[in-house]
Coordinates of all heavy atoms in Angstrom, one line a residue:
M982 N 59.8 -54.6 58.7 CA 60.3 -53.5 57.8 C 59.4 -53.4 56.6 O 58.9 -54.3 56.0 CB 61.7 -53.8 57.4 CG 62.3 -52.7 56.6 SD 64.1 -53.0 56.4 CE 64.4 -51.7 55.2
Y983 N 59.3 -52.1 56.2 CA 58.5 -51.9 55.0 C 59.1 -50.7 54.2 O 59.9 -49.9 54.7 CB 57.0 -51.6 55.2 CG 56.8 -50.3 56.0 CD1 56.6 -49.1 55.4 CD2 56.8 -50.3 57.5 CE1 56.4 -48.0 56.1 CE2 56.7 -49.2 58.2 CZ 56.4 -48.0 57.5 OH 56.2 -46.8 58.3
L984 N 58.7 -50.6 52.9 CA 59.2 -49.5 52.1 C 58.1 -48.5 51.9 O 56.9 -48.8 52.3 CB 59.6 -50.1 50.7 CG 60.7 -51.1 50.7 CD1 60.8 -51.6 49.3 CD2 62.0 -50.6 51.2
S985 N 58.4 -47.4 51.3 CA 57.3 -46.4 51.0 C 57.4 -46.0 49.5 O 58.5 -46.0 49.0 CB 57.5 -45.1 51.9 OG 57.2 -45.5 53.2
T986 N 56.3 -45.6 49.0 CA 56.3 -45.1 47.6 C 55.2 -44.0 47.5 O 54.4 -43.8 48.4 CB 56.0 -46.2 46.6 OG1 56.3 -45.8 45.3 CG2 54.6 -46.7 46.7
T987 N 55.3 -43.2 46.5 CA 54.3 -42.1 46.2 C 53.2 -42.7 45.3 O 53.5 -43.8 44.6 CB 54.9 -40.9 45.5 OG1 55.4 -41.3 44.2 CG2 56.0 -40.3 46.3
T988 N 52.1 -42.1 45.2 CA 51.1 -42.5 44.3 C 51.6 -42.5 42.8 O 51.2 -43.4 42.0 CB 49.7 -41.8 44.4 OG1 50.1 -40.4 44.2 CG2 49.2 -42.0 45.8
A989 N 52.3 -41.5 42.5 CA 52.9 -41.4 41.1 C 53.7 -42.6 40.8 O 53.7 -43.1 39.7 CB 53.6 -40.0 40.9
E990 N 54.6 -42.9 41.7 CA 55.5 -44.1 41.5 C 54.6 -45.4 41.4 O 55.0 -46.2 40.5 CB 56.5 -44.2 42.6 CG 57.5 -43.1 42.6 CD 58.4 -43.1 43.8 OE1 57.9 -43.5 45.0 OE2 59.5 -42.6 43.8
L991 N 53.6 -45.5 42.2 CA 52.8 -46.7 42.2 C 52.1 -46.9 40.8 O 52.0 -47.9 40.4 CB 51.8 -46.6 43.3 CG 50.8 -47.8 43.4 CD1 51.5 -49.1 43.6 CD2 49.7 -47.6 44.5
R992 N 51.6 -45.7 40.3 CA 50.9 -45.8 39.0 C 51.9 -46.4 37.9 O 51.4 -47.1 37.1 CB 50.5 -44.3 38.5 CG 49.2 -43.9 39.3 CD 48.8 -42.6 38.9 NE 48.6 -42.5 37.4 CZ 48.6 -41.4 36.7 NH1 49.0 -40.2 37.2 NH2 48.4 -41.4 35.4
Q993 N 53.1 -46.1 38.0 CA 54.1 -46.6 37.0 C 54.5 -48.1 37.3 O 55.0 -48.7 36.4 CB 55.3 -45.8 37.0 CG 55.1 -44.3 36.6 CD 56.3 -43.5 36.6 OE1 57.4 -43.9 37.1 NE2 56.2 -42.2 36.1
E994 N 54.2 -48.6 38.5 CA 54.7 -49.9 38.9 C 53.5 -50.7 39.4 O 53.7 -51.7 40.1 CB 55.7 -49.7 40.1 CG 56.9 -48.9 39.7 CD 57.8 -48.6 40.9 OE1 57.3 -48.7 42.0 OE2 58.9 -48.1 40.7
L995 N 52.3 -50.4 39.0 CA 51.1 -51.2 39.4 C 51.3 -52.7 39.2 O 50.8 -53.5 40.1 CB 49.8 -50.7 38.7 CG 49.1 -49.6 39.4 CD1 47.9 -49.2 38.6 CD2 48.7 -50.0 40.8
D996 N 51.8 -53.1 38.1 CA 52.0 -54.6 37.8 C 52.9 -55.3 38.7 O 52.9 -56.5 38.7 CB 52.4 -54.7 36.3 CG 53.8 -54.1 36.0 OD1 54.2 -53.2 36.7 OD2 54.3 -54.6 35.0
Q997 N 53.6 -54.6 39.5 CA 54.6 -55.2 40.5 C 54.0 -55.5 41.8 O 54.6 -56.1 42.6 CB 55.8 -54.3 40.7 CG 56.6 -54.1 39.4 CD 57.8 -53.2 39.6 OE1 58.3 -53.1 40.7 NE2 58.1 -52.5 38.6
Y998 N 52.8 -55.1 42.0 CA 52.1 -55.2 43.4 C 50.7 -55.8 43.4 O 50.0 -55.5 42.4 CB 52.0 -53.8 44.0 CG 53.3 -53.1 44.3 CD1 53.7 -52.0 43.5 CD2 54.0 -53.4 45.5 CE1 54.9 -51.4 43.8 CE2 55.2 -52.7 45.7 CZ 55.6 -51.7 44.9 OH 56.8 -51.1 45.1
Q999 N 50.4 -56.4 44.4 CA 49.0 -56.6 44.8 C 48.6 -55.5 45.7 O 49.3 -55.2 46.6 CB 48.8 -58.0 45.6 CG 47.5 -58.2 46.2 CD 46.4 -58.3 45.1 OE1 46.4 -59.1 44.2 NE2 45.4 -57.4 45.3
I1000 N 47.6 -54.8 45.3 CA 47.1 -53.6 46.1 C 46.2 -54.0 47.2 O 45.2 -54.7 46.9 CB 46.3 -52.6 45.2 CG1 47.1 -52.2 43.9 CG2 46.0 -51.4 46.0 CD1 48.4 -51.6 44.2
L1001 N 46.5 -53.7 48.4 CA 45.7 -53.9 49.6 C 45.2 -52.6 50.2 O 46.0 -51.8 50.6 CB 46.6 -54.7 50.7 CG 45.9 -55.0 51.9 CD1 44.7 -56.0 51.7 CD2 46.9 -55.7 52.9
D1002 N 43.9 -52.5 50.1 CA 43.3 -51.2 50.5 C 42.7 -51.5 51.9 O 41.9 -52.4 52.1 CB 42.1 -50.9 49.6 CG 41.6 -49.5 49.8 OD1 41.4 -49.1 51.0 OD2 41.3 -48.8 48.8
V1003 N 43.2 -50.7 52.9 CA 42.8 -51.0 54.3 C 41.8 -50.0 54.8 O 41.6 -49.9 56.0 CB 44.1 -50.9 55.2 CG1 45.0 -52.1 54.9 CG2 44.8 -49.6 55.2
R1004 N 41.1 -49.2 53.9 CA 40.0 -48.4 54.3 C 38.7 -49.3 54.6 O 38.7 -50.5 54.3 CB 39.6 -47.4 53.2 CG 40.7 -46.5 52.8 CD 40.4 -45.6 51.6 NE 40.2 -46.4 50.5 CZ 39.4 -46.1 49.4 NH1 38.7 -44.9 49.4 NH2 39.3 -46.9 48.4
D1005 N 37.7 -48.7 55.2 CA 36.6 -49.5 55.6 C 35.8 -49.8 54.3 O 36.0 -49.2 53.2 CB 35.6 -48.8 56.6 CG 35.0 -47.5 56.1 OD1 34.7 -47.4 54.9 OD2 35.0 -46.6 56.9
A1006 N 34.9 -50.8 54.3 CA 34.3 -51.4 53.1 C 33.5 -50.3 52.4 O 33.4 -50.4 51.2 CB 33.4 -52.5 53.6
E1007 N 32.8 -49.4 53.1 CA 32.0 -48.3 52.5 C 33.0 -47.4 51.6 O 32.6 -47.1 50.5 CB 31.3 -47.5 53.5 CG 30.3 -46.5 52.9 CD 29.6 -45.8 53.9 OE1 29.3 -46.3 55.0 OE2 29.2 -44.6 53.7
D1008 N 34.0 -47.0 52.2 CA 34.9 -46.1 51.4 C 35.5 -46.9 50.2 O 35.6 -46.3 49.1 CB 36.1 -45.7 52.3 CG 35.7 -44.6 53.4 OD1 34.6 -44.0 53.1 OD2 36.4 -44.5 54.4
F1009 N 35.9 -48.2 50.4 CA 36.4 -49.0 49.3 C 35.3 -49.1 48.2 O 35.7 -49.0 47.0 CB 36.7 -50.4 49.8 CG 37.3 -51.3 48.8 CD1 38.6 -51.2 48.4 CD2 36.5 -52.3 48.2 CE1 39.2 -52.0 47.5 CE2 37.0 -53.2 47.2 CZ 38.3 -53.0 46.8
A1010 N 34.0 -49.3 48.5 CA 33.0 -49.4 47.6 C 32.7 -48.1 46.8 O 32.3 -48.2 45.6 CB 31.7 -49.9 48.2
N1011 N 33.1 -47.0 47.4 CA 32.9 -45.8 46.8 C 34.0 -45.4 45.7 O 33.9 -44.4 45.0 CB 32.8 -44.6 47.8 CG 31.5 -44.6 48.5 OD1 30.4 -45.1 48.0 ND2 31.4 -44.2 49.7
G1012 N 35.0 -46.2 45.7 CA 36.1 -46.0 44.7 C 37.4 -46.6 45.2 O 37.8 -46.3 46.2
H1013 N 38.0 -47.3 44.3 CA 39.3 -48.0 44.6 C 40.1 -48.2 43.3 O 39.6 -48.1 42.2 CB 39.1 -49.2 45.4 CG 38.2 -50.3 44.7 ND1 36.9 -50.3 44.8 CD2 38.5 -51.3 43.9 CE1 36.4 -51.3 44.1 NE2 37.4 -51.8 43.5
I1014 N 41.3 -48.6 43.5 CA 42.2 -49.0 42.4 C 41.8 -50.4 41.9 O 41.5 -51.2 42.6 CB 43.6 -49.0 42.8 CG1 44.1 -47.6 43.3 CG2 44.6 -49.5 41.7 CD1 45.4 -47.6 44.0
Q1015 N 41.7 -50.4 40.5 CA 41.3 -51.7 39.9 C 42.2 -52.8 40.4 O 43.4 -52.8 40.5 CB 41.5 -51.6 38.4 CG 41.2 -52.8 37.7 CD 40.0 -52.8 36.8 OE1 39.4 -51.7 36.5 NE2 39.4 -53.9 36.5
G1016 N 41.5 -53.9 40.8 CA 42.2 -55.1 41.2 C 42.6 -55.1 42.7 O 43.1 -56.1 43.2
A1017 N 42.3 -54.0 43.4 CA 42.6 -53.9 44.8 C 41.8 -54.9 45.7 O 40.7 -55.1 45.4 CB 42.5 -52.5 45.3
V1018 N 42.4 -55.4 46.8 CA 41.7 -56.2 47.7 C 41.5 -55.3 48.9 O 42.4 -54.7 49.3 CB 42.6 -57.5 48.1 CG1 42.0 -58.2 49.2 CG2 42.8 -58.3 46.9
N1019 N 40.3 -55.5 49.5 CA 39.9 -54.7 50.7 C 40.0 -55.6 51.9 O 39.2 -56.5 52.0 CB 38.5 -54.1 50.5 CG 38.1 -53.2 51.6 OD1 37.0 -53.3 52.1 ND2 38.9 -52.3 52.0
I1020 N 40.8 -55.1 52.8 CA 40.9 -55.7 54.2 C 40.9 -54.5 55.1 O 42.0 -53.9 55.2 CB 42.0 -56.7 54.4 CG1 42.0 -57.9 53.5 CG2 41.9 -57.1 55.9 CD1 43.1 -58.8 53.6
P1021 N 39.8 -54.1 55.7 CA 39.8 -52.9 56.6 C 40.9 -53.1 57.7 O 41.1 -54.3 58.2 CB 38.4 -52.8 57.1 CG 37.6 -53.5 56.1 CD 38.5 -54.6 55.5
I1022 N 41.5 -52.1 58.1 CA 42.6 -52.2 59.1 C 42.1 -52.8 60.4 O 42.8 -53.6 61.1 CB 43.3 -50.8 59.4 CG1 44.6 -51.1 60.1 CG2 42.4 -49.9 60.1 CD1 45.7 -50.0 60.0
T1023 N 40.8 -52.6 60.7 CA 40.2 -53.2 61.9 C 40.1 -54.7 61.8 O 39.9 -55.4 62.8 CB 38.8 -52.6 62.1 OG1 38.0 -52.8 61.0 CG2 38.9 -51.1 62.5
E1024 N 40.2 -55.3 60.6 CA 40.1 -56.8 60.4 C 41.5 -57.4 60.1 O 41.6 -58.6 59.9 CB 39.2 -57.0 59.3 CG 37.7 -56.5 59.6 CD 36.8 -56.7 58.4 OE1 37.1 -57.4 57.5 OE2 35.7 -56.0 58.4
L1025 N 42.5 -56.6 60.0 CA 43.8 -57.0 59.5 C 44.4 -58.1 60.3 O 45.0 -59.1 59.9 CB 44.8 -55.8 59.2 CG 46.0 -56.2 58.5 CD1 45.8 -56.7 57.1 CD2 46.9 -54.9 58.4
A1026 N 44.4 -57.8 61.6 CA 45.0 -58.8 62.6 C 44.4 -60.2 62.5 O 45.1 -61.2 62.7 CB 44.8 -58.3 64.0
E1027 N 43.1 -60.3 62.1 CA 42.5 -61.6 61.9 C 42.8 -62.2 60.5 O 42.9 -63.4 60.3 CB 41.1 -61.6 62.2 CG 40.7 -61.4 63.6 CD 39.1 -61.2 63.8 OE1 38.4 -61.5 62.8 OE2 38.7 -60.9 64.8
A1028 N 42.8 -61.3 59.5 CA 42.7 -61.7 58.1 C 44.1 -61.9 57.4 O 44.3 -62.6 56.5 CB 42.0 -60.7 57.3
Y1029 N 45.2 -61.3 58.0 CA 46.5 -61.3 57.4 C 47.0 -62.8 57.1 O 47.7 -62.9 56.1 CB 47.5 -60.6 58.1 CG 48.2 -61.3 59.3 CD1 49.4 -62.0 59.1 CD2 47.7 -61.2 60.6 CE1 50.0 -62.7 60.1 CE2 48.3 -61.9 61.6 CZ 49.5 -62.7 61.3 OH 50.0 -63.3 62.4
P1030 N 46.8 -63.8 57.9 CA 47.3 -65.1 57.5 C 46.8 -65.6 56.2 O 47.4 -66.5 55.5 CB 46.8 -66.1 58.6 CG 46.6 -65.1 59.8 CD 46.1 -63.8 59.2
K1031 N 45.7 -65.1 55.7 CA 45.2 -65.5 54.3 C 46.0 -64.9 53.2 O 45.8 -65.3 52.0 CB 43.7 -65.1 54.2 CG 42.9 -65.8 55.3 CD 41.4 -65.3 55.2 CE 40.6 -65.9 56.3 NZ 39.3 -65.2 56.5
L1032 N 46.8 -63.9 53.4 CA 47.6 -63.3 52.4 C 48.8 -64.1 52.0 O 49.3 -64.8 52.7 CB 48.1 -61.9 52.9 CG 47.0 -60.9 53.3 CD1 47.8 -59.6 53.9 CD2 46.3 -60.4 52.0
D1033 N 49.1 -64.0 50.7 CA 50.2 -64.8 50.1 C 51.5 -64.1 50.6 O 51.8 -63.0 50.2 CB 50.1 -64.7 48.6 CG 51.2 -65.4 47.9 OD1 52.1 -65.9 48.5 OD2 51.1 -65.5 46.6
Q1034 N 52.4 -64.8 51.3 CA 53.6 -64.3 51.8 C 54.6 -64.1 50.7 O 55.6 -63.5 50.9 CB 54.1 -65.2 53.0 CG 53.6 -64.7 54.3 CD 54.5 -65.1 55.5 OE1 54.8 -66.2 55.7 NE2 55.0 -64.1 56.1
T1035 N 54.4 -64.7 49.5 CA 55.4 -64.5 48.4 C 55.0 -63.3 47.6 O 55.9 -63.0 46.7 CB 55.5 -65.7 47.5 OG1 54.2 -66.0 46.9 CG2 55.8 -67.0 48.4
A1036 N 53.9 -62.7 47.8 CA 53.5 -61.5 47.0 C 54.1 -60.2 47.5 O 54.4 -60.2 48.7 CB 52.0 -61.4 46.9
S1037 N 54.2 -59.2 46.7 CA 54.6 -57.9 47.1 C 53.3 -57.0 47.1 O 52.6 -56.9 46.2 CB 55.6 -57.2 46.2 OG 56.8 -57.9 46.1
Y1038 N 53.0 -56.4 48.3 CA 51.8 -55.7 48.5 C 52.1 -54.2 48.6 O 53.1 -53.7 49.3 CB 51.2 -56.1 49.9 CG 50.6 -57.5 49.8 CD1 51.4 -58.5 50.2 CD2 49.3 -57.7 49.3 CE1 50.9 -59.8 50.2 CE2 48.8 -59.0 49.2 CZ 49.6 -60.0 49.7 OH 49.1 -61.4 49.6
A1039 N 51.3 -53.4 47.9 CA 51.2 -51.9 48.1 C 50.0 -51.7 49.0 O 48.9 -52.0 48.7 CB 51.1 -51.2 46.8
I1040 N 50.3 -51.1 50.1 CA 49.2 -50.8 51.1 C 48.7 -49.4 51.0 O 49.5 -48.5 51.1 CB 49.7 -51.1 52.6 CG1 50.5 -52.4 52.7 CG2 48.6 -51.1 53.5 CD1 49.7 -53.7 52.4
I1041 N 47.4 -49.2 50.9 CA 46.8 -47.9 50.6 C 45.6 -47.7 51.5 O 44.9 -48.6 51.8 CB 46.5 -47.7 49.2 CG1 46.3 -46.2 48.8 CG2 45.3 -48.5 48.7 CD1 46.3 -45.9 47.4
C1042 N 45.4 -46.4 51.9 CA 44.2 -46.0 52.6 C 43.8 -44.7 52.1 O 44.0 -44.5 50.9 CB 44.5 -45.9 54.2 SG 45.7 -44.7 54.7
Y1043 N 43.3 -43.8 52.8 CA 42.9 -42.5 52.2 C 44.0 -41.5 52.2 O 44.3 -40.9 51.2 CB 41.6 -41.8 52.9 CG 41.3 -40.6 52.3 CD1 40.6 -40.6 51.0 CD2 41.7 -39.4 52.8 CE1 40.3 -39.5 50.3 CE2 41.3 -38.1 52.0 CZ 40.7 -38.2 50.9 OH 40.5 -37.1 50.2
A1044 N 44.7 -41.4 53.4 CA 45.8 -40.3 53.4 C 47.2 -40.9 53.7 O 48.2 -40.2 53.5 CB 45.4 -39.3 54.5
G1045 N 47.3 -42.1 54.2 CA 48.6 -42.7 54.5 C 48.8 -43.1 55.9 O 49.8 -43.9 56.1
G1046 N 48.0 -42.7 56.8 CA 48.2 -43.1 58.2 C 47.9 -44.6 58.5 O 48.7 -45.3 59.1
R1047 N 46.7 -45.0 58.1 CA 46.3 -46.4 58.3 C 47.2 -47.4 57.5 O 47.5 -48.4 58.0 CB 44.8 -46.6 58.0 CG 43.9 -46.0 59.0 CD 42.4 -46.1 58.6 NE 42.2 -45.2 57.4 CZ 41.1 -45.0 56.8 NH1 40.1 -45.7 57.1 NH2 41.1 -44.1 55.8
S1048 N 47.5 -47.0 56.3 CA 48.4 -47.8 55.5 C 49.7 -48.0 56.1 O 50.4 -49.0 56.0 CB 48.5 -47.3 54.1 OG 49.1 -46.1 54.0
E1049 N 50.2 -46.9 56.7 CA 51.6 -46.9 57.4 C 51.5 -47.9 58.6 O 52.4 -48.8 58.7 CB 52.0 -45.6 58.0 CG 53.4 -45.6 58.6 CD 53.9 -44.2 58.9 OE1 53.1 -43.2 58.8 OE2 55.1 -44.1 59.4
Q1050 N 50.4 -47.9 59.4 CA 50.2 -48.8 60.5 C 50.1 -50.3 59.9 O 50.8 -51.2 60.5 CB 48.9 -48.5 61.2 CG 48.9 -47.3 62.0 CD 47.6 -47.0 62.7 OE1 46.6 -47.3 62.1 NE2 47.6 -46.6 63.9
A1051 N 49.4 -50.5 58.9 CA 49.2 -51.8 58.3 C 50.5 -52.3 57.7 O 50.9 -53.5 57.8 CB 48.2 -51.8 57.2
S1052 N 51.3 -51.4 57.1 CA 52.6 -51.7 56.5 C 53.6 -52.2 57.6 O 54.3 -53.1 57.5 CB 53.2 -50.6 55.7 OG 52.4 -50.3 54.6
R1053 N 53.6 -51.4 58.7 CA 54.4 -51.8 59.9 C 54.0 -53.2 60.4 O 54.9 -54.1 60.7 CB 54.3 -50.7 61.0 CG 55.4 -51.0 62.1 CD 55.3 -49.9 63.1 NE 55.4 -48.5 62.6 CZ 54.4 -47.6 62.6 NH1 53.3 -47.9 63.1 NH2 54.6 -46.4 62.1
F1054 N 52.7 -53.4 60.6 CA 52.2 -54.7 61.1 C 52.6 -55.8 60.2 O 53.1 -56.9 60.7 CB 50.7 -54.6 61.3 CG 50.1 -55.9 61.7 CD1 50.1 -56.3 63.1 CD2 49.4 -56.7 60.8 CE1 49.5 -57.5 63.4 CE2 48.8 -57.8 61.2 CZ 48.8 -58.3 62.5
L1055 N 52.3 -55.7 58.9 CA 52.6 -56.8 58.0 C 54.1 -57.0 57.8 O 54.6 -58.1 57.6 CB 51.9 -56.6 56.6 CG 50.4 -56.7 56.7 CD1 49.8 -56.2 55.4 CD2 50.0 -58.1 57.0
G1056 N 54.8 -55.9 57.8 CA 56.3 -56.0 57.6 C 56.9 -56.8 58.8 O 57.8 -57.6 58.6
D1057 N 56.4 -56.5 60.0 CA 56.9 -57.3 61.1 C 56.5 -58.8 61.1 O 57.2 -59.5 61.8 CB 56.3 -56.7 62.4 CG 56.9 -55.3 62.8 OD1 57.9 -54.9 62.2 OD2 56.3 -54.6 63.7
K1058 N 55.5 -59.0 60.3 CA 55.0 -60.5 60.2 C 55.8 -61.2 59.0 O 55.5 -62.3 58.7 CB 53.6 -60.6 59.9 CG 52.7 -60.0 61.0 CD 52.8 -60.8 62.3 CE 51.8 -60.3 63.3 NZ 52.0 -60.7 64.6
G1059 N 56.7 -60.4 58.4 CA 57.5 -61.0 57.3 C 57.0 -60.8 55.9 O 57.5 -61.3 54.9
Y1060 N 55.9 -60.0 55.7 CA 55.4 -59.8 54.4 C 56.2 -58.6 53.6 O 56.8 -57.8 54.3 CB 54.0 -59.3 54.4 CG 53.0 -60.5 54.8 CD1 52.8 -60.8 56.2 CD2 52.3 -61.2 53.8 CE1 52.0 -61.8 56.5 CE2 51.5 -62.2 54.1 CZ 51.3 -62.6 55.5 OH 50.5 -63.6 55.8
Q1061 N 56.2 -58.7 52.3 CA 56.9 -57.7 51.5 C 55.9 -56.6 51.3 O 55.0 -56.8 50.4 CB 57.4 -58.3 50.2 CG 58.4 -59.4 50.4 CD 58.6 -60.1 49.0 OE1 58.9 -59.5 48.0 NE2 58.6 -61.4 49.1
V1062 N 56.0 -55.4 51.9 CA 55.0 -54.4 51.8 C 55.6 -53.0 51.6 O 56.7 -52.8 52.0 CB 54.1 -54.3 53.1 CG1 53.3 -55.6 53.3 CG2 55.0 -54.1 54.4
T1063 N 54.8 -52.3 50.9 CA 55.2 -50.9 50.6 C 54.0 -50.0 50.9 O 52.9 -50.2 50.4 CB 55.5 -50.7 49.0 OG1 56.6 -51.6 48.7 CG2 55.9 -49.3 48.7
N1064 N 54.3 -49.0 51.8 CA 53.2 -48.0 52.1 C 53.1 -47.0 51.0 O 54.0 -46.5 50.5 CB 53.6 -47.4 53.4 CG 52.6 -46.3 53.8 OD1 51.5 -46.5 53.8 ND2 53.1 -45.1 54.2
V1065 N 51.9 -46.7 50.6 CA 51.6 -45.7 49.6 C 51.3 -44.4 50.3 O 50.3 -44.2 50.9 CB 50.3 -46.1 48.7 CG1 50.2 -45.1 47.6 CG2 50.6 -47.5 48.1
M1066 N 52.3 -43.4 50.3 CA 52.1 -42.2 50.9 C 51.1 -41.3 50.2 O 51.1 -41.3 48.9 CB 53.5 -41.4 50.9 CG 54.6 -42.2 51.7 SD 56.2 -41.4 51.6 CE 56.6 -41.3 49.9
G1067 N 50.3 -40.6 50.9 CA 49.3 -39.8 50.4 C 48.0 -40.5 50.0 O 46.9 -39.9 50.0
G1068 N 48.0 -41.8 49.9 CA 46.8 -42.7 49.7 C 45.9 -42.3 48.6 O 46.3 -41.6 47.6
M1069 N 44.7 -42.7 48.7 CA 43.6 -42.4 47.7 C 43.4 -41.0 47.5 O 43.0 -40.5 46.5 CB 42.3 -43.2 48.0 CG 42.5 -44.7 47.9 SD 43.0 -45.3 46.2 CE 41.6 -44.8 45.2
G1070 N 43.6 -40.2 48.5 CA 43.4 -38.7 48.5 C 44.4 -38.1 47.5 O 44.1 -37.1 46.9
A1071 N 45.5 -38.8 47.2 CA 46.5 -38.2 46.3 C 46.5 -39.0 45.0 O 47.3 -38.7 44.0 CB 47.9 -38.3 46.9
W1072 N 45.7 -40.1 44.8 CA 45.8 -41.0 43.7 C 45.2 -40.2 42.5 O 44.2 -39.6 42.5 CB 44.9 -42.2 43.9 CG 44.8 -43.2 42.8 CD1 43.7 -43.4 42.0 CD2 45.9 -44.0 42.3 NE1 44.1 -44.4 41.1 CE2 45.4 -44.8 41.3 CE3 47.2 -44.2 42.7 CZ2 46.1 -45.7 40.5 CZ3 48.0 -45.2 42.0 CH2 47.4 -45.8 41.0
Q1073 N 46.0 -40.2 41.3 CA 45.6 -39.6 40.1 C 45.2 -40.5 39.0 O 44.9 -40.1 37.9 CB 46.8 -38.7 39.6 CG 47.2 -37.6 40.6 CD 46.1 -36.5 40.6 OE1 45.7 -36.0 39.6 NE2 45.8 -36.1 41.8
G1074 N 45.2 -41.8 39.3 CA 44.9 -42.8 38.3 C 43.4 -43.2 38.3 O 42.6 -42.5 39.0
E1075 N 43.1 -44.2 37.5 CA 41.7 -44.7 37.4 C 41.2 -45.2 38.7 O 41.9 -45.8 39.5 CB 41.6 -45.7 36.3 CG 40.3 -46.3 36.1 CD 40.2 -47.4 35.0 OE1 41.2 -47.6 34.3 OE2 39.2 -48.0 34.9
I1076 N 39.9 -44.9 39.0 CA 39.2 -45.5 40.2 C 38.0 -46.2 39.7 O 37.2 -45.7 38.8 CB 38.8 -44.3 41.1 CG1 40.1 -43.6 41.6 CG2 38.0 -44.8 42.2 CD1 39.8 -42.4 42.5
V1077 N 37.8 -47.4 40.3 CA 36.6 -48.1 39.9 C 35.7 -48.3 41.2 O 36.2 -48.2 42.3 CB 37.0 -49.5 39.3 CG1 37.8 -49.4 38.0 CG2 37.8 -50.4 40.3
N1078 N 34.4 -48.6 40.9 CA 33.5 -48.9 42.1 C 33.2 -50.4 42.1 O 33.2 -51.0 41.3 CB 32.3 -48.1 41.9 CG 32.6 -46.5 42.0 OD1 33.7 -46.1 41.8 ND2 31.6 -45.8 42.3

């Protein structure tokens, strides 16, 4: 199970989450939320055991489709996850490279 949030809500609650960006490495390098960790969705099935199960994750991609898949996957594994609807395409906050 997972929750959902908007990018506007995430901006107000950034300190409550570890941001997990599931876009490919090239897209991540071109701009992401400060402090975000990049695990492309294609690598998530192998990499997820390295994630902290006590953390709360906000999962983001470009538009929300891949992050929804990743949120469902991690939620089923027992992680506390929130899908960011609209993704980086809707993000109005600071972006770093």
Side-chain angles (χ1 to χ4, degrees):
M982 181 175 169
Y983 65 92
L984 303 173
S985 294
T986 193
T987 66
T988 57
E990 291 169 334
L991 177 62
R992 283 181 57 205
Q993 296 176 352
E994 302 169 347
L995 268 178
D996 61 339
Q997 297 178 28
Y998 295 103
Q999 169 65 55
I1000 308 298
L1001 179 60
D1002 192 318
V1003 295
R1004 297 175 298 154
D1005 64 41
E1007 183 178 335
D1008 289 337
F1009 182 80
N1011 286 330
H1013 57 272
I1014 298 171
Q1015 175 109 20
V1018 172
N1019 180 227
I1020 301 176
I1022 194 157
T1023 57
E1024 300 173 14
L1025 190 59
E1027 291 179 8
Y1029 84 88
K1031 298 174 187 169
L1032 297 173
D1033 180 356
Q1034 274 204 297
T1035 65
S1037 293
Y1038 292 94
I1040 314 297
I1041 196 164
C1042 63
Y1043 182 75
R1047 289 174 287 178
S1048 62
E1049 184 176 4
Q1050 289 176 321
S1052 294
R1053 188 177 308 114
F1054 175 80
L1055 291 171
D1057 288 349
K1058 301 291 186 196
Y1060 289 83
Q1061 299 172 46
V1062 294
T1063 300
N1064 177 47
V1065 181
M1066 299 179 298
M1069 292 300 294
W1072 180 251
Q1073 298 288 313
E1075 182 180 350
I1076 295 175
V1077 297
N1078 295 21

